[in-house]
Amino acid sequence: MLNKTDFIGSLAKGLKVIEAFRAERPRLAISDVSEITGLDRATARRCLLTLHELGYAAYDGKFFTLTPRIMRLGMGALAALPLAQMVQPWLDQLSEQIGQSTSVSILDENEIVYIARAVQRRVMSIGLMPGSRLPAHSTSMGRVLLSGLPEAEARALIESSDLTPRTAFSLTDPEEIMKRIGLVREQGYAVIDQEVESGLRSIAVPLYGSSGRMVAALNTGVAAVQAEAGDLVPLYLAALLKVQDGLRRVLR
């Protein structure tokens, strides 16, 4: 257990402030950060001004936005992850083989975090890269990763998620989402039909370590040009499973 004298409260507050910025809220005022983090306005202001002084945030007199310099805090760690290093060559080869972008992600509470990606063509309006986050409940990799958890734990994460629909296809009923996760657990893969973004479909499979433990998820996302979302299975599942089998022998 950490000794209280070893805990740096100001660092913890600064990290809270950084985490307040998301893709859906890139510009925040001091009052916004205070509300999101639970910090008082004075503390939030000091943290934001410190980030600005160090070059990690831009400030226009009212709103703060993170600068590209903030990527230094995460990109180095992501790139140094053994998992990311091991899967990237496989992703590159798979992407070239199927002619589609491929990704690997891990679960962080009720979100997925991209740790590796090989891009063939852009099919989403938002740019995805290592470090990008998406809701687990509405993504193919997220449902795969949730299927690897005990049912009660998966349900708790879904119920804590923001289930606001992103498209007309998005599932918002926790029970229906749990049924889909149960199906993923049975069949070993997940297919998502335009739940994250209209016009985008994806298929994902789990990645296992040599011990048999699920360590990540692998997917490909494609434009919704097929007659049915299920058409992704004969098109891409075999290639995904081949990578799954190959990585099982090298992942810990």
Side-chain angles (χ1 to χ4, degrees):
M1 189 174 187
L2 181 66
N3 190 307
K4 287 185 178 180
T5 60
D6 292 329
F7 185 81
I8 304 176
S10 57
L11 175 59
K13 292 172 184 175
L15 293 173
K16 263 186 152 182
V17 169
I18 292 172
E19 290 179 349
F21 292 87
R22 296 291 183 90
E24 65 270 20
R25 51 178 192 242
R27 300 172 70 247
L28 296 175
I30 293 171
S31 58
D32 298 325
V33 172
S34 176
E35 181 180 354
I36 293 167
T37 62
L39 300 173
D40 60 70
R41 283 177 59 94
T43 301
R45 177 179 177 275
R46 288 197 301 272
C47 289
L48 287 165
L49 289 176
T50 300
L51 290 171
H52 175 56
E53 178 66 21
L54 295 175
Y56 290 108
Y59 182 42
D60 64 6
K62 181 177 181 181
F63 292 102
F64 290 84
T65 55
L66 296 181
T67 67
R69 186 184 180 93
I70 203 75
M71 298 297 292
R72 296 184 185 184
L73 302 180
M75 291 300 291
L78 281 169
L81 281 174
L83 178 59
Q85 290 176 334
M86 284 190 280
V87 301
Q88 189 63 57
W90 294 79
L91 278 187
D92 294 337
Q93 185 176 22
L94 174 62
S95 187
E96 287 292 332
Q97 176 190 342
I98 65 177
Q100 303 289 351
S101 297
T102 56
S103 306
V104 169
S105 72
I106 57 176
L107 190 66
D108 182 17
E109 296 186 350
N110 51 21
E111 295 180 313
I112 60 169
V113 181
Y114 284 73
I115 65 166
R117 184 160 166 78
V119 180
Q120 281 287 317
R121 63 196 67 169
R122 184 165 170 173
V123 293
M124 293 188 72
S125 62
I126 59 172
L128 293 174
M129 60 190 299
S132 296
R133 291 171 173 267
L134 287 174
H137 71 275
S138 59
T139 55
S140 59
M141 289 189 288
R143 288 190 186 162
V144 162
L145 292 165
L146 288 168
S147 75
L149 299 178
E151 186 168 344
E153 187 175 347
R155 182 181 295 275
L157 288 176
I158 290 168
E159 292 177 349
S160 70
S161 300
D162 179 2
L163 301 181
T164 303
R166 297 171 67 105
T167 74
F169 295 88
S170 299
L171 299 183
T172 59
D173 179 9
E175 291 302 322
E176 181 60 30
I177 296 171
M178 285 299 298
K179 287 181 183 177
R180 299 294 180 91
I181 291 171
L183 180 61
V184 174
R185 195 177 288 119
E186 292 175 9
Q187 63 190 16
Y189 63 88
V191 173
I192 292 290
D193 186 10
Q194 306 182 77
E195 291 191 46
V196 175
E197 184 169 314
S198 296
L200 175 72
R201 289 171 174 160
S202 64
I203 180 171
V205 299
L207 293 179
Y208 299 100
S210 56
S211 65
R213 180 177 64 90
M214 188 187 301
V215 297
L218 162 70
N219 94 330
T220 183
V222 303
V225 296
Q226 308 82 13
E228 301 288 341
D231 292 343
L232 297 185
V233 176
L235 286 172
Y236 302 112
L237 182 59
L240 292 172
L241 291 177
K242 185 175 180 180
V243 174
Q244 178 196 71
D245 184 59
L247 283 170
R248 189 192 300 260
R249 298 190 293 269
V250 298
L251 296 180
R252 294 190 294 273

